[in-house]
Amino acid sequence: MEASVDHNNEKKVQADVVDLKAVPPMDIGPGDLISYGDVDPVLAAKMHLLNEAINEIGWTNYQLKLFFLNGFGYAVDSLLTFYIGIANPQAVLEFRPPYAGGGTIALYAGLLVGVLGWGLSADIIGRRWAFNLSLVSSAILTIIVGASPNYNFFAAFVALAAAGAGGNLALDTTVFLEFLPSKYQFMIVVMALWWGVGQTVAGLMAWGFMPNFSCTSADFCPKSENMGWRYLYYVGGGFVLVLSMLRIFVFRFRETPKYLLCSGQDEACVELLQDVAKKYNRPCNLTLDQLQRLGTVTTAHAATRFSLSEVAMHFRGLFATRKMAITSVVLWMLWACIGLAYPLYYIFLPTYLATRGAKFGETSPYYTWRNYTLANFCAIFGPLFAGYITTIRVIGRKFTMVIGALSTMAIFFGYTSVKSADQNIALNCIGSLTINIYFSALYAYSPEVLPSAHRATGTGFAISFARVMGIVAAVIGTHVDTSTSVPIYVAASLFAVMAILAAIAPYEPQRGQSI
């Protein structure tokens, strides 16, 4: 009798063992991380079922709300990045620091710490906490920047505010992507329009405050005559605070289903999708039994969550296969190049505009900040165009980056030969549009080609290369005459390198779905 019981138990155990051959065949597309199934077939099989459920539910108002709320994070990162190019020259006039580039370096140092810290924490403790806390901390610290009594204080709180906002680029794309049906993954590209919104808001504030509340010489620049840059941070910080409150109190964001799955929370994952489906009257046939029969995920987290081994696991996951390793390295190089080219052009754009405007008789700060705002506004349309062409079969994400990079290179080289005020503003506007075609496609491509378990870490680490090169650009800008065309030539040449890197990148996610 006892032997019979053991035999029956053995049969039951065997019945519960995962038969991955019985898993429905995956819909392999050019963008799927098919090699990841060789590393953890259980996770790959579960992700396949999860993706089917997300596709079954389809696009709902939940994703639409995420588009706006996650876009706020993009806008904040952009806002603070552009603020430093506006405010730092005036802070230098007022405080007379020994090193004029300190504020810009502080910004990028803060962004670097933020993108690494928040990105890694999102893979360890979850997207939800990092998603909410990063924006709140940035809002409060941005307001404090406006009250700076000296340059050291200014630089320190610029860095702290940037650390709060710095993880948003990694978090916002990750969170949005992990709720998206495959048919709508192109919306990751379109979401970058919020970057243009952020820089446009920065330009409008600069246009409103800087011409009327700024001193023009370090010989006489007391606080009372130089309140423009402080108003920027007061109003901008208040704006960010409102956005952070909307995230927390108006839209109750729940953890992403793919993070829950990677963390072994199958029940919570199914419950989340069932709740969304019920709320929006959509079908969802995913069951807990389907997931649990596949087994246990073992490659997403270490045995101890808060440990060096957990951190090491997330970095090792980026090199799990040869193809993923090549992808990770290409991403680093793409972000490093844009990290140097972008600030060489944009952070010093006010200087370029003022210098060239003077040649055409537009010497008033009013014209400088007007042109600056118009150029920033044009950035909004780059992601809209990029979102469209990424859906064209022969173009996709990779060749959208190629098109954006090459057209930006051409515009930058052309900008060095402007002969009139109209050409000046026209080429700046077109360049702003083309550079954001490239940027929006890169924003989308980075999280799409990384596995969910390590996505925030991988995206954050890739963006960190851009932050490091931003510091390099700030040092260059301090020691090189930024009123000349040399930085523009360097930036243009870097876009040629980016076009080549994008073309040879291993994955094309256009017709696949991220795991």
Side-chain angles (χ1 to χ4, degrees), residues 304-356:
T304 303
R305 187 66 63 92
F306 299 97
S307 63
L308 289 177
S309 58
E310 171 78 4
V311 175
M313 174 168 279
H314 288 301
F315 279 102
R316 283 200 305 270
L318 304 176
F319 298 88
T321 67
R322 181 175 180 272
K323 194 172 183 180
M324 287 173 61
I326 294 172
T327 298
S328 295
V329 173
V330 169
L331 282 179
W332 297 349
M333 297 172 69
L334 284 169
W335 279 100
C337 287
I338 192 65
L340 181 58
Y342 197 84
L344 278 179
Y345 178 69
Y346 262 117
I347 286 186
F348 307 112
L349 182 58
T351 304
Y352 302 149
L353 288 170
T355 303
R356 282 149 183 76

Side-chain angles (χ1 to χ4, degrees), residues 76-269:
V76 169
D77 191 293
S78 173
L79 185 80
L80 295 185
T81 300
F82 279 76
Y83 264 12
I84 200 66
I86 301 166
N88 189 66
Q90 294 304 127
V92 168
L93 290 178
E94 182 178 333
F95 296 127
R96 302 185 189 182
Y99 192 75
T104 305
I105 292 173
L107 171 82
Y108 278 97
L111 291 173
L112 172 63
V113 172
V115 78
L116 288 173
W118 291 113
L120 184 59
S121 69
D123 280 336
I124 296 175
I125 66 173
R127 321 307 197 206
R128 180 169 173 261
W129 287 103
F131 183 74
N132 288 331
L133 292 177
S134 60
L135 211 58
V136 174
S137 61
S138 179
I140 296 170
L141 293 164
T142 298
I143 295 172
I144 295 175
V145 172
S148 300
N150 54 59
Y151 194 76
N152 289 339
F153 187 100
F154 168 77
F157 276 87
V158 161
L160 292 172
N168 274 287
L169 289 185
L171 290 170
D172 293 323
T173 51
T174 294
V175 168
F176 192 41
L177 176 64
E178 293 183 357
F179 277 101
L180 279 180
S182 60
K183 185 179 178 181
Y184 291 92
Q185 275 190 199
F186 75 92
M187 288 297 292
I188 290 285
V189 181
V190 177
M191 194 174 73
L193 69 85
W194 289 97
W195 181 267
V197 170
Q199 67 189 67
T200 300
V201 171
L204 287 170
M205 290 183 183
W207 191 10
F209 292 131
M210 302 308 288
N212 302 314
F213 302 100
S214 299
C215 56
T216 57
S217 171
D219 295 332
F220 181 73
C221 193
K223 178 180 177 181
S224 60
E225 298 292 326
N226 197 41
M227 289 295 293
W229 69 268
R230 295 178 186 273
Y231 293 151
L232 281 179
Y233 280 99
Y234 290 145
V235 176
F239 175 65
V240 176
L241 187 60
V242 171
L243 298 183
S244 64
M245 293 300 103
L246 289 175
R247 272 190 176 187
I248 297 172
F249 297 111
V250 176
F251 180 77
R252 300 298 180 90
F253 168 68
R254 298 174 67 175
E255 191 54 80
T256 71
K258 292 187 176 180
Y259 175 81
L260 293 172
L261 190 72
C262 292
S263 300
Q265 302 178 62
D266 291 355
E267 185 174 358
C269 175

Side-chain angles (χ1 to χ4, degrees), residues 333-462:
M333 297 172 69
L334 284 169
W335 279 100
C337 287
I338 192 65
L340 181 58
Y342 197 84
L344 278 179
Y345 178 69
Y346 262 117
I347 286 186
F348 307 112
L349 182 58
T351 304
Y352 302 149
L353 288 170
T355 303
R356 282 149 183 76
K359 292 181 180 179
F360 310 127
E362 295 181 337
T363 56
S364 169
Y366 172 89
Y367 291 109
T368 297
W369 296 115
R370 181 205 64 180
N371 294 349
Y372 183 77
T373 303
L374 290 173
N376 288 338
F377 177 70
C378 291
I380 296 174
F381 301 97
L384 292 173
F385 180 72
Y388 169 71
I389 64 175
T390 57
T391 62
I392 299 173
R393 184 180 293 260
V394 295
I395 298 180
R397 310 285 193 269
K398 289 171 51 177
F399 287 99
T400 296
M401 285 191 281
V402 172
I403 291 169
L406 292 180
S407 55
T408 302
M409 178 191 71
I411 293 298
F412 278 15
F413 279 130
Y415 182 63
T416 61
S417 303
V418 294
K419 293 181 173 60
S420 70
D422 289 341
Q423 289 179 0
N424 183 33
I425 187 58
L427 284 179
N428 266 287
C429 287
I430 298 171
S432 183
L433 186 148
T434 58
I435 196 173
N436 279 279
I437 291 173
Y438 170 83
F439 228 152
S440 60
L442 179 60
Y443 281 144
Y445 186 83
S446 300
E448 281 185 304
V449 297
L450 295 172
S452 294
H454 318 295
R455 179 170 289 135
T457 298
T459 305
F461 195 68

